[in-house]
Amino acid sequence: MAKKVQNEININGFKHVKYDALEFSTNEMLKRAESFYHFMDKRRSVRGFSNKEVPRSVIENILKTASTAPSGAHKQPWTFCVVSNKELKRKIRVAAEAEEKETYENRMGERWKNDLAAMATDMHKPFLEIAPWIIVAFKRAYEYKSDGTKHNNYYVNESVGLACGMLITAIHNAGLATLTHTPSPMKFLTELLNRPDNERAFLLLPVGYPEDPVYVPDLKRKSLEDISEFYE
C-alpha cells in the first residue's frame, strides 16, 4: 500500500507544509536553463531613461518577487521605498549629485576613474528625475520588540543583496530597465524619506523604460571558465 503523504506536519512546534517541487526532464531542464541565460544575458544597466509611465501594479509585483528571496532566519530585513513624486525625486537628485561631485573630485582615485571611463558615467544623474520610479532598498539592521528593546537581524547584507538581485531580475523580466546607483554616503536618503533609525540605505535603482535610442558600453562578460571551478 502506498504511503499517504501529509500536506502539513509539525516540526519543533511549527507547522511545515509539503513543498511541491518543479520537475522537468533533462532535456527540458537544459532548454529552460539555456533560454533563461540568454534572456538574462540581454540585461544591461542603462543611464538613459524615458519618462513614459509605468503602472504602479507592475512595480508592486516586482517588489513582491524581490521579497521571495531567502533571508537569514526568514527575517526579510529589507524595506523598499518607492518614489514617483516629482518634487521628492528632484530633492534626491540634488543630494545625490552633491555626494557624487565630492566623490569624483576628492574621493575617487585615478585608477577608479580610469576603470569607469568605459561606462560613460559622471557626477550628473538626470535619470533620478526622468525615470518614472525610484526604488531605494533599505536594510534593516535590527527590529524593535513591542517593549522597545532591540533584536538584531541575521546576515543582513547577504539577505538584502539577494533580494536586490531578484529585484533587478524581476525588473528585466517586466521589460523595464534599471541601474544600480550607490552614491556614498547615502544618509541623505534616510533623511529625505524619513526612515526609522533601524534602516540604512543599501541601493538606489531608477526604474522605467529605456530611452529610445539608448546606448550602452560594448562590454563582454567573463567566460564560464573565468567565473567557475567544477569539482567532479
Side-chain angles (χ1 to χ4, degrees), residues 105-197:
E105 292 180 352
N106 299 308
R107 299 170 181 150
M108 193 180 288
E110 288 305 311
R111 179 182 175 185
W112 191 353
K113 291 179 182 179
N114 291 336
D115 285 342
L116 286 176
M119 307 299 153
T121 183
D122 57 30
M123 67 185 72
H124 304 291
K125 310 299 177 184
F127 52 77
L128 293 175
E129 285 190 88
I130 298 171
W133 297 96
I134 292 174
I135 299 175
V136 184
F138 283 85
K139 61 181 183 180
R140 302 172 67 97
Y142 54 87
E143 307 291 345
Y144 285 106
K145 296 181 180 179
S146 57
D147 62 2
T149 58
K150 299 177 183 179
H151 62 93
N152 290 335
N153 287 319
Y154 313 105
Y155 300 102
V156 174
N157 286 333
E158 295 86 347
S159 299
V160 179
L162 288 166
C164 286
M166 294 186 70
L167 176 68
I168 293 166
T169 302
I171 290 169
H172 180 63
N173 183 63
L176 300 172
T178 191
L179 170 73
T180 53
H181 183 41
T182 53
S184 181
M186 291 194 282
K187 186 179 179 181
F188 68 89
L189 291 167
T190 303
E191 297 169 352
L192 286 174
L193 300 177
N194 194 29
R195 301 312 304 161
D197 62 1

Side-chain angles (χ1 to χ4, degrees), residues 60-94:
E60 288 175 347
N61 279 300
I62 285 170
L63 296 178
K64 287 191 286 187
T65 299
S67 210
T68 66
S71 60
H74 193 56
K75 294 300 181 181
Q76 302 174 90
W78 47 69
T79 301
F80 296 108
C81 292
V82 190
V83 182
S84 63
N85 180 278
K86 292 182 179 180
E87 182 179 352
L88 188 50
K89 288 197 296 180
R90 171 65 179 168
K91 289 179 179 179
I92 290 173
R93 177 185 177 181
V94 169

Side-chain angles (χ1 to χ4, degrees), residues 202-216:
F202 184 82
L203 185 64
L204 187 159
L205 302 106
V207 180
Y209 292 99
E211 188 179 25
D212 185 18
V214 70
Y215 297 92
V216 296

